Amino acid sequence: MLDKRWVEPYSLVIKWVPIGDLMVDERYQRALRPHRVEHLVTNWDDYSSGVIIISLRADGRMFILDGQHRVHAMMKRGVSVCKCEIFEHLPDWKEAQIFVNCNVVRGTVTKRDVFRAKVMGKDDLANIVAKVVEEEGYKISLHRGVHNPKEIAAVGTLEMICSPLNESSAPRLRRVLRCVKATWPDFSRALDGKILLAFAHLFRHAPQIHDERLQHRLSQDDPDKILARARNLQLSIGGQLTTSMMCIMIRSYNYKLTSNRIAEPMPSDHA
């Protein structure tokens, strides 16, 4: 059962509830995975299925906080009622927090699922990321492998760029996103987490770098070529791929510069 310390002072009861009455709040719940439902149906065990955790809202509607896939599996098996832990009159941000607490501990959700719930759960870092992403004309993708130059799936990278959380978190991320957009506005590959992180590390390594020159020089190649050259360099010098990407970016930036050149990081940097 859910640790009551997460939800006090909200009241809790345990009851059998009609499955057809249960709803899903898509603002924080993850997308339903049909293959996972089918796996549960095939391997169903009444003794280990557990209870469903739900929220009874003031208007009488009941929303699933934990157990969405089990509920759908029970529906496919013809089950009409299920045993539920019911928390009454939770604010929606508390529902989102409970969703995160239930699923992060179990490791069953993606980083994107957790991020959406963190935003609704009023997590400071996640909300800064979400705000900057929206203001810069992007949106967080719910799926991996997106091919839209306006959607970012690498939410873990975005949070890394903003960490540690301080007054420079938003400006750090904003500079990265603006530089990427100006360099490769039509390439979805430019929003790959490795590329975003390389820009962030480059600006940390050389904050004095001239953004417009960097954008102009890098735009001569597409991001896939930058990645390929970085991987080849990594094989040669060792270290992290991010460091190799920084070196490739710096070499492009320094081309034909006679002054104010940027020094390349050592292979061990940013390891």
Side-chain angles (χ1 to χ4, degrees), residues 59 119 122 265 271:
D59 61 6
V119 170
K122 300 184 179 180

Side-chain angles (χ1 to χ4, degrees), residues 222-239:
D222 65 54
D224 283 318
K225 290 182 179 179
I226 299 284
L227 275 169
R229 290 211 297 270
R231 289 192 176 99
N232 288 335
L233 181 60
Q234 183 187 25
L235 291 175
S236 173
I237 68 175

